[in-house]
Amino acid sequence: MRTVYWHQQHVRMIDQRRIPWELALVDLHDVEAVADSIRDMTVRGAPAIGATAAFGMALAAQNSKAQTVPELLGELGKAADLLKASRPTAVNLAWAVDKLMASANGSDFATPDEVRAALLNAAQQIADDDVDINQRMGKVGSVLINEQDTVLHHCNTGALATVDYGTAIGVIRSAFEQGKQFHVLLDETRPRLQGARLSAWEMEQLGVPYDIIPDTAAGFYMRRGEIKLVLLGADRIAANGDFANKIGTYQVAVLAKENGIPFYTVAPTSTVDLSLATGDDIPIEERDKSEVLAPFGNAIAPAHFNARNPAFDVTPAHYLSGIVTENGIVRPPFEVNLRRAVMGEQV
Ligand code: MRU
């Protein structure tokens, strides 16, 4: 089942807040509800929120009562701003919205209905391409996993974080489908527990052997020599290879380098933001302190206690062994080779 899709003139998605306890679907009938679903993390993961935003634009076009093309384009501009503001870090969101705006503006459409049809097509294409790209990345990256390895993974980068198949978990899945035998350690990923809830649920479905570990145990297993490889995702990669990903990624990177363990991010080229020279300018979302003090409503400290909750961190490129993309594994110098991959060259 896809994470998000167009269903009978509206957007349907898996409610990721309820997994692993329940596989529930939610139906969204207007662009405001789509923006809310991204903000409250009903849907999350960079490629998944990109595809969701694309369907949100198609929904805004469909719901609009505009009688003329310029009127519709004006309304779409507002929908684009609303969607882009829903979460700031993952560039896939702005990338998808800009792509939809470009297809609305690109041709000389005679009627609003032509624009509506073009936007639904473009959104569907983004969703279909995502699945195809993930399968390609999975195959490309699968060479990194050796028999009997233990692989450390952070957050959730599987089917749920994408339209289907996954990025870093797509690599794990591809290697597993090839018959390789290995083990996965899943960082639980405080405070929203994407590792313990979502990645473990996916491992259960795929049959991949795994253990959930506390985030604080990664260094312990690295120093004991158990972890042979780190694979995780990215929300935005700057032109020099610095990248933002789920909070906790930076400390995993530093520990991996200290212990001589290969460390890779797996991301489609739509996650690369060549407009940013380095990771210093990537906007980092700070979420509500209640997620730290009472994860999923279970209080671990009184609600009036102080807390901070950055959702992402930035890892400098020099910690990366490589970046797995649909166009190959990008190696240093990232300034040169990342640009080539983004331009569609096989690297
Ligand atoms: O806050 P989230 O759950 O949206 O964060 C997700 C991540 O950081 C993922 O690692 C990233 O989006 C890549 S998903 C293929």
Side-chain angles (χ1 to χ4, degrees), residues 34-322:
V34 173
D36 286 345
S37 75
I38 297 172
R39 200 175 302 113
D40 69 17
M41 295 176 70
T42 303
V43 62
R44 33 65 52 203
I49 62 180
T52 300
F55 284 126
M57 290 292 290
L59 190 59
Q62 178 198 262
N63 288 353
S64 162
K65 305 261 183 300
Q67 302 287 326
T68 65
V69 171
E71 208 187 325
L72 179 55
L73 291 178
E75 288 184 26
L76 285 172
K78 288 191 189 126
D81 291 344
L82 176 75
L83 289 163
K84 281 187 182 180
S86 58
R87 284 191 86 189
T89 302
V91 76
N92 306 60
L93 199 162
W95 170 87
V97 170
D98 288 345
K99 244 182 135 141
L100 272 273
M101 275 313 283
S103 60
N105 281 306
S107 306
D108 259 343
F109 294 115
T111 66
D113 273 349
E114 285 178 22
V115 180
R116 292 182 179 105
L119 287 199
L120 185 53
N121 256 330
Q124 199 63 60
Q125 192 65 52
I126 284 178
D128 293 345
D129 286 351
D130 183 60
V131 183
D132 180 56
I133 285 169
N134 292 338
Q135 285 169 342
R136 278 162 56 197
M137 280 193 301
K139 206 174 273 174
V140 167
S142 64
V143 298
L144 300 171
I145 300 181
N146 295 314
E147 287 290 341
Q148 307 307 328
D149 271 358
T150 292
V151 180
L152 179 72
H153 178 269
H154 191 71
C155 194
N156 170 261
T157 65
L160 290 166
T162 61
V163 177
D164 203 354
Y165 205 78
T167 60
I169 288 183
V171 168
I172 287 168
R173 182 169 174 174
S174 173
F176 190 70
E177 285 165 359
Q178 291 164 26
K180 289 188 187 174
Q181 298 201 356
F182 56 94
H183 195 85
V184 180
L185 291 182
L186 300 172
D187 277 349
E188 60 176 350
T189 319
R190 281 272 291 150
R192 293 206 48 119
L193 303 172
Q194 288 94 331
R197 295 187 304 111
L198 310 178
S199 297
W201 185 78
E202 292 186 343
M203 295 297 125
E204 289 278 339
Q205 310 233 321
L206 296 169
V208 177
Y210 74 94
D211 289 299
I212 299 165
I213 60 168
D215 298 329
T216 41
F220 169 76
Y221 287 116
M222 286 189 188
R223 189 152 182 274
R224 282 224 309 215
E226 287 195 27
I227 294 171
K228 302 295 183 211
L229 174 69
V230 178
L231 292 175
L232 38 73
D235 287 84
R236 192 185 297 228
I237 305 175
N240 71 343
D242 294 352
F243 72 105
N245 190 48
K246 179 50 54 196
I247 191 74
T249 298
Y250 173 56
Q251 58 205 38
V252 172
V254 175
L255 283 165
K257 196 170 188 85
E258 170 70 16
N259 289 281
I261 299 166
F263 175 88
Y264 289 85
T265 183
V266 183
T269 52
S270 56
T271 301
V272 180
D273 184 353
L274 291 176
S275 76
L276 301 183
T278 74
D280 293 345
D281 294 327
I282 298 176
I284 298 295
E285 176 185 16
E286 294 239 7
R287 294 185 64 85
D288 197 87
K289 71 171 189 171
S290 62
E291 293 183 348
V292 174
L293 296 175
F296 296 91
N298 300 310
I300 56 171
H304 69 275
F305 276 19
N306 300 330
R308 297 184 74 177
N309 186 16
F312 301 95
D313 57 27
V314 174
T315 298
H318 66 263
Y319 287 103
L320 275 169
S321 310

